[in-house]
Amino acid sequence: MFYLSWRQLLSRKKQSILILLGVSFGTLLFVSIAGVQLGMREYLAEQLLNNTAHILISGAERDIVQSEVTRSMYSENQVVGWVVPPNGKRDETRLENYSGWYARLNSDPEVFDFSPRLTANAILANGKFVASANVIGTVPERHVRITSVKKYMKEGRFEDLSLGGNPIVVGSGVAKQIGARLDQFIRVSAGRGVEKPFKVVGIVHFGNQQIDDSIAFAQLRDIQVLTKSPGRVSQIAVALYDIDRSTEVADFWQLISNDKVEDWQEANKMFMEMIKVQDFVRYFIIFSVLLVAAFGIYNVLTIMINQKRREIAILRAIGYGPKRILELILYQGILIGIGGGVLGIGLGYLLCLWIESIDFGFEIGGKNSLWVAYDVSTYVTAFVSATFASLIASFLPAWAASRMTPMDIIREEA
C-alpha cells in the first residue's frame, strides 16, 4: 500500500510538490515565530525573576486609622475631636515578622532558597558627578542562588559583596553616569544621614537601559546602616524547587500572613497578558496556514481519486477491500504531512539561525540581535500539527474512495 501511495503521488508531481510546500510553509512560520517569541519571553522572564524571584514577600501598605492614632497619642479618659481626621498611608512598609518568615522558609520543603532585601533610593556620587539609583541591600551568597545575576556581571564578581569595606555593585548605566570604575570608591547617601564611601567591586549589565541606569547592589547590613534602620528587611525573594507551584504557594502564604505575598506572575500581570496574546497569535497563524494547506490536500486527493477511478475499480475487482483503499489514500495524506513537517522544521531552524545572526544595531539583553529559543517542544508541536492536519484533510476523500464499488464505477463511466 505504501508503494502504491507513493507512486500515485509521483504521478502528479507538480500538484504534490505545491501542497508539500504549503504544509512546510505553515510549519516554517510556526517554528520561526515561536522561536523569536519564546526567545524574547525567556529573556524577559529571566529579567523579571531577577527582580521578584518566584515569590516576593513584602510589607503590606497600611492605612492610617483614626482610632489607632487617637489611642496611641491620648489616654482613654480624654475626649478627642479631630478637626481634620488623620488619613492616608503609613510612611513606609516593612515586614512585621521577619524572624517568623525566616523560620517558616527554612523549614518549608518546597523552598529552594530565599534572600532578604532592603531597598533604598540613594544618591551615588563620584567627584562632581552624581546619579540616583535604587540600591538593593541583599545577602550575596543567597542572591546568586535565586537569580541569574552572575551571568550579567560585566566586571568583577557579585560574590565580592561579601567582603568588608562597604562593597557595592553598580549598573553599567550608573557607572557611566558617574564615571565609576572597578575598585574605585564612590560616595553613597540615602537622604537620612551623611554620605558613606562604598567601593565598586563589580559592574552589572542586564542589557535593559532602564534597569542598568538605576540599579545597584550592596550588602544588606551596609544598607541598614546607611538608612539608619538596623535589622530592617523590606522584602524577601523566594525561589521554589518547582516554579509552577509559585501561585499556589503564594496564595497559601497570603492566607496566613498580613504581609503582601505575590508570585512572579501576579507581580507581572501585564507581561503574562502579553504572553497569552502572543500564544494566541502564534497558534492562529499555524492554524490558518495549515487549514489552507489541508484544503489543498483535500482538493488534490479528490481530483486524483476522480482521475484514478478505473484503477480503484481494478483494485477492488482483484480483491482489495474498502479498508485497503482507505489506507491507500490516507498514506498519501500522511506522506505529505510528514514530508511537509520535516521540510518545514528544517527550514524553520535555519531561518531562526539566520534571524539570530542579524545585527539590528540596538542592544537587547547584552547583544545586538534577537533572542531566539530552540525549544524541542516547538518543533514537535509543528511536526505533529502538520501531520495531523494532513491526516484529517485526506480522510474524507479516502473514505469516499473506500465506499466505491466496481459496479458503481462502471455505471458512472458508462
Side-chain angles (χ1 to χ4, degrees):
M1 276 299 152
F2 180 83
Y3 177 75
L4 286 177
S5 299
W6 177 253
R7 292 292 298 174
Q8 287 194 351
L9 281 176
L10 292 180
S11 67
R12 304 185 62 82
K13 293 181 181 179
K14 188 174 181 180
Q15 288 182 336
S16 298
I17 291 175
L18 288 176
I19 296 304
L20 183 72
L21 291 177
V23 175
S24 62
F25 180 70
T27 310
L28 178 149
L29 276 181
F30 180 79
V31 169
S32 56
I33 292 174
V36 174
Q37 286 185 344
L38 294 178
M40 292 305 298
R41 179 190 301 183
E42 289 176 3
Y43 164 69
L44 292 174
E46 187 174 86
Q47 296 291 306
L48 295 174
L49 288 173
N50 276 330
N51 183 46
T52 62
H54 297 167
I55 297 177
L56 188 65
I57 305 169
S58 56
E61 291 186 348
R62 295 184 298 162
D63 294 327
I64 295 176
V65 181
Q66 178 180 328
S67 59
E68 291 182 359
V69 176
T70 302
R71 188 165 52 252
S72 64
M73 297 180 65
Y74 302 95
S75 65
E76 295 181 0
N77 297 328
Q78 290 179 295
V79 178
V80 179
W82 293 91
V83 176
V84 180
N87 58 74
K89 302 284 186 183
R90 294 186 180 273
D91 61 348
E92 61 182 6
T93 59
R94 68 174 68 195
L95 291 175
E96 296 296 332
N97 185 18
Y98 171 66
S99 59
W101 278 115
Y102 185 89
R104 171 174 290 278
L105 296 175
N106 266 330
S107 61
D108 195 321
E110 294 196 78
V111 175
F112 170 70
D113 206 347
F114 63 94
S115 176
R117 298 176 180 174
L118 176 58
T119 304
N121 294 319
I123 301 297
L124 281 62
N126 180 30
K128 64 179 180 180
F129 301 106
V130 297
S132 60
N134 191 36
V135 183
I136 301 174
T138 186
V139 180
E141 56 271 19
R142 287 183 175 271
H143 192 83
V144 296
R145 282 170 58 81
I146 66 172
T147 69
S148 57
V149 67
K150 287 175 61 176
K151 187 171 74 173
Y152 296 97
M153 291 300 297
K154 184 178 180 182
E155 297 181 48
R157 297 171 64 250
F158 193 87
E159 295 90 335
D160 287 346
L161 286 178
S162 300
L163 304 175
N166 290 347
I168 190 171
V169 171
V170 298
S172 57
V174 175
K176 184 177 181 181
Q177 291 177 51
I178 63 176
R181 299 185 303 275
L182 202 64
D183 297 327
Q184 184 179 23
F185 281 90
I186 62 175
R187 306 186 309 276
V188 180
S189 64
R192 296 189 178 186
V194 297
E195 294 179 333
K196 288 186 175 294
F198 277 73
K199 182 181 179 181
V200 178
V201 296
I203 297 175
V204 64
H205 181 70
F206 290 106
N208 185 318
Q209 185 176 356
Q210 185 177 0
I211 296 176
D212 292 333
D213 288 351
S214 61
I215 198 167
F217 297 92
Q219 266 277 14
L220 175 62
R221 62 174 180 269
D222 293 337
I223 299 302
Q224 289 172 340
V225 172
L226 181 69
T227 58
K228 296 183 178 180
S229 52
R232 184 187 169 199
V233 172
S234 59
Q235 297 176 334
I236 304 176
V238 183
L240 305 178
Y241 283 101
D242 184 4
I243 189 174
D244 295 329
R245 292 266 301 154
S246 57
T247 300
E248 184 178 345
V249 173
D251 289 343
F252 174 71
W253 287 351
Q254 185 65 80
L255 293 175
I256 60 176
S257 173
N258 292 325
D259 292 316
K260 184 179 180 181
V261 183
E262 282 187 316
D263 67 279
W264 74 281
Q265 297 183 54
E266 178 67 21
N268 303 282
K269 283 185 177 179
M270 291 185 62
F271 174 69
M272 300 310 297
E273 292 297 326
M274 180 181 69
I275 286 178
K276 292 179 182 178
V277 172
Q278 288 182 343
D279 288 340
F280 173 79
V281 171
R282 186 168 69 254
Y283 286 106
F284 178 78
I285 288 174
I286 189 172
F287 174 78
S288 300
V289 177
L290 290 181
L291 182 64
V292 173
F295 274 113
I297 293 172
Y298 173 82
N299 289 332
V300 167
L301 292 181
T302 301
I303 294 172
M304 185 273 295
I305 290 170
N306 287 331
Q307 293 177 342
K308 302 289 185 179
R309 296 170 69 87
R310 291 184 179 180
E311 286 85 345
I312 294 174
I314 294 172
L315 290 174
R316 290 300 308 277
I318 62 177
Y320 281 75
K323 183 179 179 181
R324 302 293 298 280
I325 300 299
L326 181 69
E327 291 175 358
L328 174 68
I329 309 302
L330 281 179
Y331 278 150
Q332 296 181 45
I334 293 174
L335 285 171
I336 292 174
I338 292 175
V342 171
L343 180 62
I345 61 178
L347 293 175
Y349 176 76
L350 295 176
L351 182 59
C352 286
L353 291 176
W354 178 73
I355 292 173
E356 194 176 22
S357 68
I358 299 175
D359 187 345
F360 287 92
F362 55 87
E363 187 179 26
I364 306 174
K367 62 180 186 178
N368 294 330
S369 59
L370 292 177
W371 289 72
V372 179
Y374 299 92
D375 194 339
V376 175
S377 63
T378 298
Y379 295 87
V380 172
T381 301
F383 178 76
V384 171
S385 298
T387 306
F388 182 74
S390 301
L391 180 62
I392 295 299
S394 60
F395 180 78
L396 290 178
W399 177 259
S402 69
R403 308 308 296 173
M404 292 180 181
T405 65
M407 292 304 298
D408 292 334
I409 295 173
I410 291 172
R411 290 193 190 101
E412 291 178 9
E413 292 291 332

